[in-house]
Amino acid sequence: MSDRPRVRHIQDADWPAIVALEAGAYTRHGLSEGRAALQSRVRASPRTCFVLDHHDRVAGYLLALPYPPFRVPDLARTEGSAARHHGNLHLHDVVVAEPLRGRGLGGHLLRHLTTTAAPAGYRRLSLVAVAGSGTYWAGHGFTAHPGVELPDSYGTDAVYMSRPWRAVEPPARSSARSAEPTPPGGPGHRPPSEYEVG
């Protein structure tokens, strides 16, 4: 049994664990998307979506996909086919299992994303901060754009945020649809639940 966390691409067998982690992080906030929507985000950009294995179990996940700046996925809808590169990578969701939050695993997932996606030439990274996680994301270089209209599915306190592309030193915990690593709390985003992001 490996003690060291390992990040890898999502496989079919991972979906029950991903759905359970997502529901645990977001259902109480009315932000849970369900399996079909989550799978559609991965199909749109499988190379920027990952799971975190810890002790040979799925302990977290990160979903990111190219999205036009100042636009976001609607939590109530599935994505179309492959996402088109718009120079912006949207950190849609980061969740870490609750018992493992506060150990920097959400940051580990984000660093993996920014390292592996850097050669694609993205210029910006965006997310939707939910459940009061905006301050958390601001501390990591994200700027709020309160004038950006978001789908109702994100709730009333969600805010679109973005930052120039660079290696991310994310918070130790959060939720991204992007919220905070400790749900409320990515991507969001809800911060990653080590984050939740949206």
Side-chain angles (χ1 to χ4, degrees):
M1 179 182 301
S2 174
D3 202 26
R4 189 169 175 208
R6 179 175 72 100
V7 179
R8 61 173 173 77
H9 289 288
I10 294 172
Q11 300 169 359
D12 288 344
D14 298 326
W15 282 106
I18 291 170
V19 169
L21 286 166
E22 193 268 357
Y26 300 121
T27 298
R28 70 179 171 272
H29 303 291
L31 300 173
S32 184
E33 299 178 80
R35 182 171 178 154
L38 293 169
Q39 287 180 316
S40 74
R41 319 264 185 246
V42 174
R43 278 193 305 273
S45 186
R47 298 183 65 140
T48 57
C49 297
F50 309 98
V51 293
L52 177 75
D53 281 333
H54 187 58
H55 290 296
D56 298 326
R57 301 172 82 183
V58 173
Y61 70 88
L62 179 150
L63 307 182
L65 63 163
Y67 230 78
F70 308 111
R71 293 184 53 205
V72 301
D74 188 330
L75 302 182
R77 297 184 177 179
T78 58
E79 292 300 318
S81 54
R84 293 179 43 211
H85 194 311
H86 298 276
N88 183 70
L89 186 64
H90 188 73
L91 179 57
H92 181 69
D93 205 358
V94 182
V95 175
V96 170
E98 193 165 356
L100 298 174
R101 293 178 191 159
R103 299 182 187 189
L105 297 176
H108 184 66
L109 279 164
L110 285 174
R111 283 186 294 280
H112 183 82
L113 172 69
T114 57
T115 299
T116 58
Y122 292 105
R123 296 183 302 279
R124 295 199 69 78
L125 184 63
S126 65
L127 57 81
V128 175
V130 300
S133 64
T135 301
Y136 169 83
W137 289 110
H140 292 280
F142 286 86
T143 299
H145 305 281
V148 175
E149 191 171 326
L150 299 172
D152 292 341
S153 56
Y154 285 91
T156 58
D157 65 347
V159 63
Y160 182 91
M161 302 182 78
S162 71
R163 62 176 279 175
W165 184 269
R166 66 179 184 266
V168 171
E169 284 301 323
R173 299 179 297 170
S174 166
S175 287
R177 212 135 285 192
S178 286
E180 219 254 297
T182 297
H189 269 137
R190 305 172 278 187
S193 265
E194 214 229 303
Y195 277 83
E196 286 182 47
V197 178

